[in-house]
Structure formats: C-alpha cells, structure tokens
Amino acid sequence: MKRIIVCVLFLCAAVASISGQTRLRVVAYNVGVFSKYADDSMQDIANMMHELDADAVAVCELDSCNRRHATFQLQDFAQMLSDEWSYRFGSAMQWNGGAYGTGLVTHAPIMNSFEIKLPKGEGYEPRICVVAETSSYVLAAVHLDHSSEDVRVKQADLLTDELKTRYGKSRKPVFLCGDLNATPDSRTLRRLSEDWTVLSDPAPTYPSDNPRQCIDYILALNNRARYKVQKTAVLTEAASADVVKASDHLPVYVDVILK
C-alpha cells in the first residue's frame, strides 16, 4: 500500500483555484465516535483535516447527546475546523438517551439538505444517508450495513434511485462518500458501479493498524457534471496526529477539478 506523508498546509478558502478552475478536496472518514483507540481523538482528526486542506468531509459513526458522549459531536467537530464550516447530521437511530448516526461538514455554505432513510434487515441497525447541496457540488454521506450483503445492495439501490431522481440530469457533481462495508469486488460495489464511478484510491482503509480491506469510498454519480480527478490517496501518515490511533479506519480523499 502506498504511504502518504502530507506536509502541513493552511486552510485559506473553501476551494482552491487552479488555472481558473476550482479544486475540491473531498474526504471520507469513519471516525469511530472519535474514541476507538483514544479517549477523544476529535482535535487530532480536526488537525488532520486542516493539514489535508480538506474542503468537504463525510463523517461516519457519530454520537449526539447520548450517555456515551453527552455532546453533539458533529457540531463540536465543525467548530474545531472553524466557525465558517457548515454541517448536517442524520440520526440513524435513537440510542442510549440520545442519537447515533452519520454526518458531513463542508467549507462551502449549504443551500439545501435532506436525509434518505435506508432499508434494513430484521434485527440490523438502521442506516441513513445525509445529503447536502452547495452552489457547486452535492455531498452525500453514508454508512452502509455491516452485517448483510443483501441489505447493503437494497440500501445502495434506494439511495441511488433517490439521488438519480434529484440529480441525474444535473450539471453539479454528486459525491457519495463513506464506509460502505463492502470490498471492491462485492455485489454492492458492482451494483453501485452501474450508476456511479469510483473515484477514490482502492488501497485498504481498515483496520487502521494493519489495513487489509478497502471499505471506505468516494464515488461520483454518472450525471451531466464535468470534472476531472486530479489525485486520490488513503492517508496513512500525518504530521499533526497519529492516523493509526485517531480511528480504526483510515481516511481516503480525492482531489477533483470542477469544470
């Protein structure tokens, strides 16, 4: 697997201009409620996102005001990035006196947002897809079922149908990001590949201490959008924090040039 060492960068704008075009850096990261291997890795992960010069981050496994974590984690995380970041949280389920779910943060203002409640098998955890539209792109954050391939395929079908209905003829790129709990050769990825293009590096993202599986992705809907992938990588090292201890997943990112 490639090893990536990222130099410290400063976050100056929501997107960077490259020869009159716009560069967007999108990150997919399962943060494990910011406490998989440490009591609180939120500041470390915020530092890593600054170092990466991220513009939009899909965040899986978040607590909200429950007995495990009493705070609204996504709001705290967005504020650590800066007061200029927007965020949306989707509660997948009520849990332990509060909520648990998926979210996203963007440096661009959010114009519109909504949630897609996904089907689940009997006895499985409910899942949700959180979608935010900005002036130049759409970001959808999702965490698919970890127990059943059949359920994952049904979830992929529903979110694809919904996003195609809304954005299938749009000129805005639509990025689907998150922990899909599916490997590149799985039925889930084959199904998604009928309507989406996988943009992200297929290098292993899980587990962070000895990565063996690629289960975290960034995809783009096959609509009328024009863009170019400039770079993609799985982050395995950072100057600002220990990536291995920040979560049990590694973050994956994609640099897209918007045309």
Side-chain angles (χ1 to χ4, degrees):
M1 182 177 71
K2 294 183 291 185
R3 298 188 67 80
I4 308 297
I5 301 177
V6 182
C7 297
V8 177
L9 302 171
F10 293 92
L11 186 58
C12 300
V15 288
S17 178
I18 301 176
S19 302
Q21 297 176 321
T22 298
R23 189 224 74 184
L24 177 72
R25 177 163 285 180
V26 182
V27 182
Y29 201 178
N30 183 328
V31 299
V33 296
F34 299 103
S35 60
K36 284 293 184 178
Y37 299 142
D39 289 339
D40 186 356
S41 62
M42 187 180 295
Q43 187 64 65
D44 282 346
I45 290 177
N47 292 343
M48 286 161 48
M49 295 304 101
H50 277 293
E51 183 178 337
L52 264 180
D53 198 15
D55 298 304
V57 187
V59 191
C60 296
E61 294 195 15
L62 294 167
D63 279 343
S64 177
C65 306
N66 58 41
R67 284 187 287 275
R68 181 168 59 185
H69 292 102
T71 62
F72 185 4
Q73 285 192 324
L74 187 63
Q75 181 181 62
D76 291 348
F77 180 58
Q79 291 173 347
M80 282 184 181
L81 293 170
S82 86
D83 290 339
E84 298 176 0
W85 282 71
S86 302
Y87 60 91
R88 293 293 185 273
F89 173 73
S91 173
M93 62 179 177
Q94 296 300 301
W95 183 78
N96 209 7
Y100 171 83
T102 297
L104 56 85
V105 293
T106 73
H107 202 191
I110 294 173
M111 301 167 52
N112 179 41
S113 64
F114 59 95
E115 300 171 359
I116 306 170
K117 293 185 177 180
L118 303 178
K120 73 180 189 73
E122 186 173 353
Y124 298 133
E125 288 183 2
R127 303 284 175 156
I128 199 163
C129 180
V130 184
V131 186
E133 182 176 359
T134 74
S135 61
S136 55
Y137 65 91
V138 177
L139 184 70
V142 71
H143 185 191
L144 296 187
D145 184 85
H146 69 286
S147 302
S148 166
E149 184 82 83
D150 289 341
V151 172
R152 285 192 291 273
V153 171
K154 290 179 182 177
Q155 292 173 341
D157 282 340
L158 179 63
L159 68 87
T160 296
D161 289 345
E162 180 68 25
L163 292 171
K164 280 178 63 178
T165 298
R166 290 176 179 260
Y167 301 110
K169 297 181 180 180
S170 175
R171 294 188 181 276
K172 287 184 182 181
V174 179
F175 302 108
L176 178 66
C177 314
D179 177 358
L180 304 187
N181 276 310
T183 56
D185 60 350
S186 65
R187 282 197 293 127
T188 302
L189 264 293
R190 290 199 299 272
R191 169 63 188 92
L192 286 168
S193 295
E194 295 174 11
D195 297 288
W196 301 81
T197 298
V198 178
L199 306 183
S200 53
D201 189 338
T205 58
Y206 178 84
S208 60
D209 57 354
N210 183 23
R212 297 184 297 275
Q213 293 182 309
C214 175
I215 58 175
D216 300 272
Y217 300 85
I218 299 169
L219 298 84
L221 184 65
N222 298 332
N223 60 3
R224 300 173 65 191
R226 297 180 64 220
Y227 61 88
K228 179 181 178 181
V229 175
Q230 184 186 45
K231 179 182 179 182
T232 178
V234 172
L235 185 69
T236 60
E237 294 184 13
S240 57
D242 187 337
V243 183
V244 172
K245 293 182 180 179
S247 175
D248 57 341
H249 288 244
L250 297 173
V252 60
Y253 68 92
V254 173
D255 289 349
V256 178
I257 306 300
L258 304 181
K259 298 182 179 181

